[in-house]
Amino acid sequence: QVQLVESGGGLVQAGGSLRLSCVASGIFVEINTMGWYRQAPGKQRELVASISRGGAQNYVDSVKGRFTVSSDNVKHTVQLQMNNLKPEDSAVYFCYADAIVSARDAFMRDETTTWGQGTRVTISS
């Protein structure tokens, strides 16, 4: 019931910046949390940053001070501003959303997690 479309990946040099965006559409009651995971070749997917409806933010230690997550609860969008990028930030970045997709789920307090298709970020040294 939720679809996510990401944009903004690409190739930049170390020290550069990129901004990822993701927009949610479809049928849902509300989105509780949106954020970004990433997966590099041969590595597990890791949570990079998340933001709740109330604005609470969470970051993996390796990106603190360099990345900023923001969202628009009305437009159902989430952005990831990435500054001072490093080669180790290279990965496919996936947007995700934890949403309540029906009245029943709202009553049961069940969330559904939806993933975007991923956008590749490559940092050259």
Side-chain angles (χ1 to χ4, degrees), residues 9-70:
L11 169 66
V12 297
Q13 290 187 331
S17 299
L18 281 174
R19 184 176 179 86
L20 305 183
S21 296
C22 176
V23 59
S25 62
I27 299 174
F28 48 87
V29 176
E30 64 182 16
I31 295 177
N32 289 333
T33 305
M34 296 187 78
W36 299 87
Y37 277 74
R38 67 185 178 187
Q39 187 165 22
K43 295 187 176 181
Q44 289 188 331
R45 189 175 293 192
E46 68 170 351
L47 177 64
V48 178
S50 65
I51 184 166
S52 70
R53 277 172 50 87
Q57 300 172 26
N58 183 46
Y59 298 92
V60 66
D61 286 346
S62 61
V63 307
K64 287 180 180 177
R66 301 188 297 122
F67 291 12
T68 302
V69 64
S70 59

